[in-house]
Amino acid sequence: MANESGQSFLDKFAEVSAKVGNQVHLRSLRDGFATIMPIYILAGIAVLINNVVFPLFLADGSAELAAAQYWGNAITQGTLSFAAILLCGTIGYCLANNKRFGNAIACLVVSICCLVIMFPQTVTTTVANLTYATSSGEVAAGVETLEAADLAATLNMAEDTTFETSVSGMISTSNTGANGLFAAIIVGLVATTVFIKISSVEKLKINLGEGIPPAVGKSFNVLIPLLLSLSIFGLVAALLNGIFNTNLMTLISECVAAPLKGVMNAGPLAVIVIYTVANLLFCLGIHQSTISGVLAEPILTVLIVENMAMYQAGQVIPADHYMNMQIVNSFALIGGSGCTFMLLLDTFLFSKNKASRDIAKLSILPGLFNINEPVIYGYPIVYNIPLMVPFVILPDIFIAATYGLTCIGWIAPCVVQAPWTTPPVLSALFSTGFDWRAGVWQVIEIAIGMAVWLPFMHISERATAKQMEMQDAA
């Protein structure tokens, strides 16, 4: 009876979790991030080469180094500095597909347009120097440039005084890049939802009839809904500016982004709770991304993208960015979910079970690149009570330990989003900008993981052998 009650609880738990993970907006958010993930990885590679590889053979501050780094700067400008625009469009497109809306590309266009509509029309920027005319005639007659420090001295101000100016007719990369990702998420979901809702009103559709190109027909079919959707967002932007003297980007940064980041960076607890639930679900046959992919990864990805931007700019990574997606990928998913790479090593070294060793032989190469579905379903770990324990607790231990080591300065913060298929040790080096201590820590993690997996592997093999004896006896 107790066993049936426990099984019933697990079934209900899995059912509720699956419903949460399959909620259409959360699923679209996960799909949107997954779509542009290669962009972040390319940006990480460019940042790594610019800040680690080039300085190895080019003098710091030299013209040659600046020329070489132009390559990486150009890539980050087209990826990190444009990430919010890309994410907003892909979220709109994915939401349209998940809702089976017939014109997904229109949703992509609407999402991007609505995001740009919500940008402030005036940008405040710091003035590094001031160029002025030396005569009352044409500027070409003579100009001089005065640096901010010299201008401060002329005005009898402190040397570190900063001067700001407001510029209209431009868009700041602080809104289109990493700082705008939360706005991109919200606008992408809301704008697409509004557009699809308005598009469902048949009276607003314009049907040009037969004999016209399909693209033209679809464009006119959503013309009025598109105009209404953009007008709604334009009205909201005008009201925020006119009544409250603010804009959506500022509101989201202060009221949404900061609290969500704070939850993830108040310590590793929130991340540990989410991945505990996610890995437990994986043990019940439901992929862990159903939970972690929608609740944790978007926020953690925003944090590592911001870290890349700061690292590229030569800034110090603040403590509230130590917890990010790369800590999970590089240090808590060694060999894939549950750190099963260590189980494979234990199997080769200490197991005498032929079936387990055969599975390990088939799984070791994919496991080296963090692909472990063959282990999870073939070993198996699914519904294998002894193996479920290390599968769930090991990532939690490594998340907490790596975060702690980063906080006390024993390893560098993660500043690069390395490909999730990067093998162990290399992933630690890449993600931390080649901090050798991170590589050593990952080797220690592998040893710890093997020690944790070993007794549970033996218990599992004994339980399997006992089951076989009972079946033979029956």
Side-chain angles (χ1 to χ4, degrees), residues 32-33 35-40 42-43 47 72-91 108-109 111-113 115-116 119 170-185 249 305-306 308-309 312:
F33 269 101
T35 301
I36 64 171
M37 192 60 66
I39 298 296
Y40 295 143
L42 174 61
V47 168
N73 293 335
I75 289 178
T76 55
Q77 180 172 294
T79 52
L80 290 183
S81 298
F82 208 59
I85 301 290
L86 296 172
L87 181 62
C88 187
T90 54
I91 287 176
L108 182 149
V109 173
S111 298
I112 293 176
C113 288
L115 179 64
V116 177
F119 286 164
M170 66 177 293
I171 294 176
S172 172
T173 54
S174 64
N175 292 325
T176 63
N179 292 335
L181 289 177
F182 280 98
I185 291 170
M249 311 303 292
V305 171
E306 290 181 352
M308 284 194 287
Q312 169 70 9

Side-chain angles (χ1 to χ4, degrees), residues 315-335:
Q315 300 172 0
V316 176
I317 307 300
D320 64 359
H321 278 57
Y322 286 171
M323 178 58 67
N324 53 64
M325 195 63 232
Q326 207 54 43
I327 275 187
V328 178
N329 281 344
S330 292
F331 298 97
L333 299 178
I334 301 173

Side-chain angles (χ1 to χ4, degrees), residues 268-281:
L269 181 60
V271 179
I272 287 173
V273 169
I274 292 172
Y275 275 90
T276 297
V277 174
N279 285 327
L280 180 58
L281 281 175

Side-chain angles (χ1 to χ4, degrees), residues 36-48 80 300-301 304-305 307-308 311 324-331 333 369-370 413-434 442:
I36 64 171
M37 192 60 66
I39 298 296
Y40 295 143
I41 292 174
L42 174 61
I45 294 173
V47 168
L48 192 66
L80 290 183
L300 295 174
T301 300
I304 187 61
V305 171
N307 281 10
M308 284 194 287
Y311 183 60
N324 53 64
M325 195 63 232
Q326 207 54 43
I327 275 187
V328 178
N329 281 344
S330 292
F331 298 97
L333 299 178
F369 297 95
N370 303 319
C414 292
V415 291
V416 172
Q417 183 160 359
W420 65 271
T421 52
T422 306
V425 181
L426 285 178
S427 65
L429 295 174
F430 288 166
S431 61
T432 57
F434 276 91
Q442 203 175 63

